[in-house]
Amino acid sequence: MNFRDVRLKTTATVTLLVMTFLIFSTLEKVKGNNDSVRFSEKVNLALRRTAHLLLVENGDSTSGITPVQQQDANTFLVRIDKLFDYDKLPDLLQKSLKIHRIDRGYDVSVLHCENSTIVLGYNFQDLNQKHGVPCSGRKLEAGCYSLKVSFYPETKTATASGNWWIFPVGSLLAGLGYIVWKKTKNLPELTEQEPVKFEANTKIVFGNSSLDMTKLLLISGSKSHNLTYREGKLLLLFVNNINQIMERDFILKSVWEDEGIIVGRSVDVFVSRLRKMLSEDLNVKISAVHGVGYRLEVS
């Protein structure tokens, strides 16, 4: 086997391992995104069940329940326009969460719809206290209230076992890289130029930035940023509508509607994240159009 064959076969082996590593990494990221979506769906169902039972306990079985709003990854809010019994809330909510196998810790706040001030509230650990949750026995005045539940972030206790493959694969890649270096450092330069192979272009270029949705990667200026699924989806929507005003409702439907949850200020939060990532590119700017929505401006 000549030097050329050694180099080509070794390079092919390393390339295959690198591709395997990238595939597993992508699958791990997709799994995390899917887990987040499933959690949101389960909370949505649990809160709707709780709101329904609160109204039923108060003799109301016909009023509609507004959609659950997701304010961030761990905070959810449902509006209840009718008066309900606060003392019934802790038990009904806990049972609803248990039915949907949600075992994270959480804080509960009852807010006025008009000014979002906290009227009543408790922590899930209060359920096990001798005197029960704070403010039990107090009656709510007639009016509109929002039930806000803030869950504790999930602790990744199983990360090490779930990513067991990273260390051995990484070690194998490092070892093969060393072998390739040893075998090729003294090889003569190839006199025949290898043909260039072009792969399908997955990047969308705008200004001095580029978006790769396959890898969920944004390169802006001299910096690269790994995107979440929602960040990538939102940025792709902007890039496909450069210099066009997009209404907030259109953005919500395009990015979040397929997940079955209506979000409140998530658009503003995610736009703020994208602005920070794009800050090095002076040719790109996400502008707010007051009272309407947003526009991605590319000069």
Side-chain angles (χ1 to χ4, degrees):
M1 183 179 293
N2 57 35
F3 289 125
R4 182 187 181 86
D5 291 337
V6 171
R7 176 177 287 175
L8 290 176
K9 286 194 173 185
T10 308
T11 302
T13 302
V14 173
T15 301
L16 180 60
L17 285 169
V18 170
M19 290 177 63
T20 302
F21 183 82
L22 292 175
I23 289 172
F24 275 104
S25 298
T26 302
L27 289 175
E28 194 71 22
K29 182 179 291 186
V30 170
K31 178 181 180 297
N33 289 333
N34 289 340
D35 289 344
S36 177
V37 172
R38 282 195 292 269
F39 174 72
S40 298
E41 291 173 346
K42 290 194 295 183
V43 173
N44 184 29
L45 293 173
L47 289 189
R48 291 188 65 83
R49 179 182 186 274
T50 302
H52 165 72
L53 293 177
L54 284 171
L55 292 176
V56 171
E57 288 285 344
N58 210 37
D60 183 353
S61 59
T62 59
S63 296
I65 300 173
T66 60
V68 174
Q69 297 182 12
Q70 182 175 356
Q71 296 183 323
D72 57 41
N74 301 300
T75 307
F76 300 81
L77 184 144
V78 61
R79 175 171 170 154
I80 304 176
D81 293 318
K82 303 290 184 177
L83 182 66
F84 65 91
D85 188 347
Y86 174 73
D87 289 347
K88 301 285 187 181
L89 171 61
D91 183 59
L92 290 177
L93 176 59
Q94 182 64 16
K95 287 181 179 178
S96 297
L97 295 176
K98 186 175 181 180
I99 287 174
H100 292 284
R101 298 182 180 179
I102 300 172
D103 55 4
R104 296 191 196 175
Y106 57 90
D107 293 317
V108 176
S109 302
V110 178
L111 314 173
H112 267 306
C113 291
E114 295 181 358
N115 51 27
S116 297
T117 56
I118 298 176
V119 181
L120 299 168
Y122 64 92
N123 176 270
F124 80 105
Q125 293 179 336
D126 292 324
L127 299 174
N128 300 321
Q129 299 301 316
K130 180 178 179 180
H131 300 292
V133 301
C135 303
S136 58
R138 298 183 182 274
K139 301 299 180 182
L140 288 170
E141 297 179 357
C144 171
Y145 296 94
S146 293
L147 174 61
K148 178 179 177 181
V149 182
S150 302
F151 292 91
Y152 297 168
E154 184 178 16
T155 54
K156 299 289 186 178
T157 55
T159 300
S161 60
N163 295 338
W164 60 268
W165 51 271
I166 291 179
F167 180 75
V169 172
S171 300
L172 183 59
L173 286 174
L176 280 173
Y178 177 75
I179 293 174
V180 172
W181 176 75
K182 288 287 288 183
K183 285 190 174 184
T184 61
K185 68 174 183 177
N186 294 321
L187 289 180
E189 292 295 324
L190 294 177
T191 56
E192 180 183 353
Q193 185 177 4
E194 292 293 324
V196 178
K197 295 182 180 180
F198 292 95
E199 297 180 353
N201 184 16
T202 60
K203 293 183 180 179
I204 303 175
V205 178
F206 56 103
N208 292 324
S209 303
S210 65
L211 169 64
D212 189 333
M213 281 300 292
T214 303
K215 299 179 181 177
L216 286 175
L217 180 68
L218 167 64
I219 299 177
S220 182
S222 61
K223 294 184 179 180
S224 60
H225 307 274
N226 293 316
L227 303 174
T228 66
Y229 172 71
R230 287 183 183 176
E231 290 169 347
K233 197 173 179 182
L234 178 57
L235 183 54
L236 180 62
L237 181 66
F238 277 125
V239 172
N240 286 335
N241 296 274
I242 289 176
N243 296 325
Q244 297 182 31
I245 298 175
M246 292 188 293
E247 296 182 356
R248 292 177 61 88
D249 288 344
F250 173 73
I251 296 174
L252 284 170
K253 289 182 179 180
S254 300
V255 179
W256 281 277
E257 187 177 55
D258 60 343
E259 298 173 11
I261 295 176
I262 298 177
V263 295
R265 293 190 55 81
S266 288
V267 175
D268 303 322
V269 172
F270 277 74
V271 166
S272 177
R273 295 181 190 173
L274 293 180
R275 281 173 170 164
K276 290 180 181 178
M277 297 179 192
L278 294 167
S279 59
E280 277 204 358
D281 190 346
L282 300 180
N283 295 320
V284 176
K285 178 182 178 183
I286 301 178
S287 298
V289 182
H290 183 68
V292 180
Y294 289 97
R295 173 174 55 201
L296 177 65
E297 300 175 357
V298 178
S299 58

